[in-house]
Amino acid sequence: MRLAFALLALFGGMFQPRAASAHEMSMAEMQIQEVPGGNFLWQWTAGFDKGPVDQWLILHWPTQCSVEQDVLRCGESGLSGEFSIDGVGKHFSVAMVQVHWKDGRNSLYTLTAGQPGVRLFGSADDTRGWSEIAYTYLGLGVEHILTGYDHLLFVAGLLFLVGFGRKLIWTITAFTAAHSLTLASAALGWLTLRPPPVEACIALSIVLVAAEALNPRLTLARRYPAVLAFLFGLIHGLGFAGALKDVGLPANHLPVALLTFNLGVESGQLACVGAAWLVCRELLKRWPAARRARTPALYGIGTIAAYWSWLRIALLVG
């Protein structure tokens, strides 16, 4: 029973933070507009829900640039050199900086805790290597799945439904293929749905998979769990795409960013499955009675997901 209490405590912790949107990533956004004379107008345009952005983030401009309120004066050298932001990763998952050059072209830079700085080159010629983009979006994908409590609860429900057997490989593969498909389609603008219905459906999918795992009969879900995982994976992919839309994609390296974000999601997901396997193996080896925790754990998952469903449907119809 100690395992049951531990699981319920864990689920209680998940239950508190963000019930209505359990996998939201916070973003601060800055717009920089180039004007004649080597000057730039800049302002924060997103992130004010946490208060004044300057309270949390400290800017370090290139050395030749000086700041006068909302005007950045860089002289003949222009906006070139090292630019970084301190504080990313504490109150904001990511800081997105968009530079609008006077020739009409744009540059997009995404700064994270792992990569808080970037080199600017004074024009829209984005010379960032693909490895820099890949590293940034891989980390964002891992962060998203590890803080996406609803997605993790769905994967936990699948583990209880399928177990650590051969079927699990096909089930996880089907879930991966499905959410990769809708993630790419939504991120590229081929598929558009409003976030509230998607969030509500994600919560309901957790309730359904928990109910199927509790059902002792040999249902279709037990016979073909990969089909269930694929269908619900299509919905979860739209949730991933919503987070990626908030962060933004660099136009010059869009395929790399999209691919590595998805790989980050998969890496985090597989790491969680592997950790669950190790924990369960050790617990069952030392305390065989821990198997009795399965039912209360599934009821905990279903209860939390039902509460999320109620909140999200209320927001949808309210």
Side-chain angles (χ1 to χ4, degrees), residues 3-113:
L3 176 62
F5 286 123
L7 287 171
L8 289 176
L10 174 63
F11 294 146
M14 291 180 175
F15 184 70
Q16 295 295 327
R18 287 170 292 183
S21 182
H23 68 281
E24 178 184 1
M25 291 198 297
S26 57
M27 179 190 69
E29 182 180 6
M30 176 191 291
Q31 300 285 337
I32 302 176
Q33 176 67 57
E34 184 179 16
V35 294
N39 298 326
F40 296 82
L41 303 177
W42 68 277
Q43 64 175 343
W44 293 106
T45 56
F48 298 107
D49 55 325
K50 295 181 178 293
V53 181
D54 292 334
Q55 178 181 354
W56 311 116
L57 301 179
I58 301 175
L59 305 175
H60 297 284
W61 299 101
T63 55
Q64 78 277 9
C65 297
S66 60
V67 181
E68 298 177 8
Q69 293 183 343
D70 58 349
V71 179
L72 184 67
R73 303 188 185 279
C74 297
E76 296 181 358
S77 300
L79 188 57
S80 62
E82 297 297 327
F83 169 69
S84 63
I85 301 179
D86 290 343
V88 182
K90 296 179 181 178
H91 294 86
F92 297 95
S93 302
V94 62
M96 189 168 69
V97 179
Q98 292 183 307
V99 184
H100 304 279
W101 306 97
K102 62 183 180 181
D103 63 3
R105 294 188 294 170
N106 302 313
S107 296
L108 174 66
Y109 302 94
T110 305
L111 282 68
T112 64

Side-chain angles (χ1 to χ4, degrees), residues 169-257:
I169 298 175
W170 295 108
T171 302
I172 294 297
T173 300
F175 183 62
T176 296
H179 72 61
S180 298
L181 179 64
T182 48
L183 167 60
S185 299
L188 295 173
W190 301 340
L191 178 64
T192 303
L193 287 177
R194 293 194 306 119
V198 172
E199 298 294 333
C201 288
I202 288 174
L204 288 171
S205 73
I206 305 169
V207 175
L208 292 174
V209 76
E212 288 295 333
L214 285 166
N215 194 338
R217 293 181 296 176
L218 188 61
T219 62
L220 287 176
R222 285 187 176 276
R223 290 179 181 176
Y224 309 106
V227 176
L228 177 76
F230 184 86
L231 293 175
F232 286 142
L234 295 173
I235 300 170
H236 283 252
L238 294 173
F240 294 142
L244 187 56
K245 182 180 179 181
D246 289 340
V247 173
L249 286 167
N252 292 351
H253 298 283
L254 191 148
V256 172

Side-chain angles (χ1 to χ4, degrees), residues 2-4 6-7 10 159-160 164 270-288 290-291 293:
R2 282 181 293 180
L3 176 62
L7 287 171
L10 174 63
L159 293 179
F160 280 118
F164 294 103
L270 291 175
C272 290
V273 172
W277 177 76
L278 289 173
V279 170
C280 289
R281 186 185 67 173
E282 291 302 316
L283 281 175
L284 293 177
K285 184 187 299 183
R286 299 184 183 187
W287 301 295
R291 296 182 184 276

Side-chain angles (χ1 to χ4, degrees), residues 244-315:
L244 187 56
K245 182 180 179 181
D246 289 340
V247 173
L249 286 167
N252 292 351
H253 298 283
L254 191 148
V256 172
L258 183 57
L259 174 63
T260 51
F261 181 84
N262 195 54
L263 288 176
V265 169
E266 294 316 310
S267 299
Q269 179 177 286
L270 291 175
C272 290
V273 172
W277 177 76
L278 289 173
V279 170
C280 289
R281 186 185 67 173
E282 291 302 316
L283 281 175
L284 293 177
K285 184 187 299 183
R286 299 184 183 187
W287 301 295
R291 296 182 184 276
R292 293 199 294 268
R294 180 181 186 276
T295 298
L298 280 169
Y299 274 110
I301 291 173
T303 300
I304 294 171
Y307 178 66
W308 282 343
S309 301
W310 181 83
L311 282 182
R312 296 176 185 185
I313 291 173
L315 289 174

